[in-house]
Amino acid sequence: MATKAQSKKLTAKKKVAPKKPVMKKAAAAASSANGKKPAVTSSLKGKKFPFAPTKLKVLKPVPSDIDIAQAGKLKPILQIAAELGIKESELELFGPYKAKIKLEILDRLAKRPNGKYIDVTAITPTPLGEGKTTTTVGVSQALGAHLGKRVMTVIRQPSQGPTFGIKGGAAGGGYSQIIPMEDFNLHLTGDIHAITAAHNLCAAALDARMMHEKNTPDDNKLFDALCPPNKKGERKFSPSMLRRLKKLGIEKTDPNELTPEERTRFARLDIDPNGVSWRRVIDVNDRFLREIMVGLGKDEAGFEHRSGYDITVASEIMAILALTTGLADMRDRLGRMVVAVNKLGEAITAEDLGVAGAMTVLMKDAIKPNLMQTLEGTPAIVHAGPFANIAHGNSSIIADKIALKMADYVITESGFGADCGMEKFMNIKCRYSGLIPNVVVIVATVRALKMHGGGPKVVAGKPLAPEYTDENLDLLQKGLPNMVQHIENALKFGVNVVVAVNSFATDTAAEVEMVRQAALAAGAMDAVVSRHWMEGGKGAIALAEAVVRACEKRSNFQFLYSLDLPIKAKIETIAREIYRADGVDYTPEAEAKIELFTKLGFDKLPMNMAKTHLSFTDKAAVKGAPRGFRITISDVRASVGAGFLYPLLGEMRTMPGLPTRPVFYDVDLDLETGKVVGLF
């Protein structure tokens, strides 16, 4: 792998794929697209749909990501579907190169056995990232385009926050990317916008309900406003109202039959203004919206109050999208979201507000995963995009379940280091999915390990110090404990580990061999140097073969903690076993929340630790594998619909900010060609 400063513009001319393909022609197109026999075939009702890899034209030095992506040869998405055995009726097309997969496919494939399940994670990264997505894609390309395996890549959709902020997009990099890269990084099929709309609808409903209740002190008038009679005096409950009645234990379905006491219980939520926990969201790094005042218009006088914005990918609705198992389940989860407490300390939900059904309507298309492809023509599913530091950081259960029915090997990715995304993959995602991983791939780089050994600060957008580009075995040796701790943590879940040494052009043979030997000594089943960034799937063949071997070995999966443990015990288990902290301290606010959530019956939920991704501790500046430290829980929040509590470790922001020189300076449109420029 190389830095972006080494990249030059690609001169190769882009080849245009056929337009408006049909399923009947897709198989023929697949076998002839690259002028050679297909590596794999799949059958559906006696028909053959041959897979043909897309041939890469690898250039040196490696051009920029966007130049490589725009020069890539795209297969029609119907051809990708045909190779998988997906029916055209099971797709919703978004142009020629991407489509949504309808959930009905799971019913058709229910009896088909699952493939092997591989999770890609990493050591504690530098701010530049260590190439998890690139590795995920590279291994998939190696398995599908070079080793003839039926494979599926399953990754998250990126937020516009980092895309326009400082990190850039998340489609992979070099010759291991998802394409079309511009579509992947910008809007895709609108799923994140749907989450934004649904979340903010709930916020509007909450504020409006509080205002109208205060302005209507008479319970009968409030009931009449919620269930107005028609000219015949007839009233009707909406579906959401019937769900609220069931929650209250009221079995009646005719509004006219409710007693005065039942009318009051039904109509008045009596929300405590100090108990509101639902904020607003937007998919932009807008630091000035972190804390705001709302209700400043003259018609809202007297209802002014503080609120704020989180980034959309931190929304509980995003977590629900990633953890739901179907449309009915999503509807229930949206209804269970706790948005406030009333003056008696009882939870008020989106269902109580009557807004959960409308939110489901806004999310009905977003629940369908998006089908795309890699640079080498292997299939990819892109769905959901929760951050792994402030959310659980994994793509959707639905996407994984579809992929496991379609492929023999499914490569998914957990965000940030293994102490963030992988821990949550195991303890949260696997609990709700019922799926068990076969292998964990831990991505390590010489660069990051040197940083953990005490190397100079790594800053995105600035050149690396010589310590990172010149051989320095002493610095590397000091940083190895960080990788060792991540390997040990993965092994605690009883899953086989393979280490991928993501190779940069400046890495020396002695350095990568030192990393390999340390990984093997720590218990990894294998440790392989991979050059997929520079060479595509060809550069990851050895890594893919190691993954296949590891998949054949028996694993003994187990969770790190029982859900029956109290909230503090679960927090402290993660802190002790994963971070190696000596103990945990709680602020008074966190103590109060733990007491409240235990009282409300939320103490049986798993923990989603919101922490910095740049350290095992709650302080980003602390590198390596430290010992003798404690962590501080500053707050605990509830995502009851998603199905977890999330303790905040130290100072955690749920809305990032823009740097002085954001990436958006470079993003523009070539007005002559219509191409997007400047993305990476």
Side-chain angles (χ1 to χ4, degrees), residues 138-216:
V139 171
S140 292
Q141 291 179 164
L143 285 168
H146 298 272
L147 297 180
K149 307 292 186 182
R150 288 182 55 79
V151 67
M152 181 79 84
T153 311
V154 184
I155 59 176
R156 292 168 295 161
Q157 179 185 349
S159 162
Q160 288 181 172
T163 297
F164 288 131
I166 194 165
K167 187 178 179 182
Y175 287 103
S176 295
Q177 296 187 56
I178 305 294
I179 54 175
M181 178 257 233
E182 307 95 304
D183 293 8
F184 180 95
N185 285 311
L186 301 172
H187 306 295
L188 195 55
T189 57
D191 296 348
I192 292 180
H193 300 316
I195 293 167
T196 304
H199 185 111
N200 292 336
L201 176 63
C202 187
L206 176 59
D207 282 345
R209 183 60 173 267
M210 293 174 66
M211 183 187 76
H212 290 307
E213 282 199 17
K214 189 173 182 181
N215 285 339
T216 314

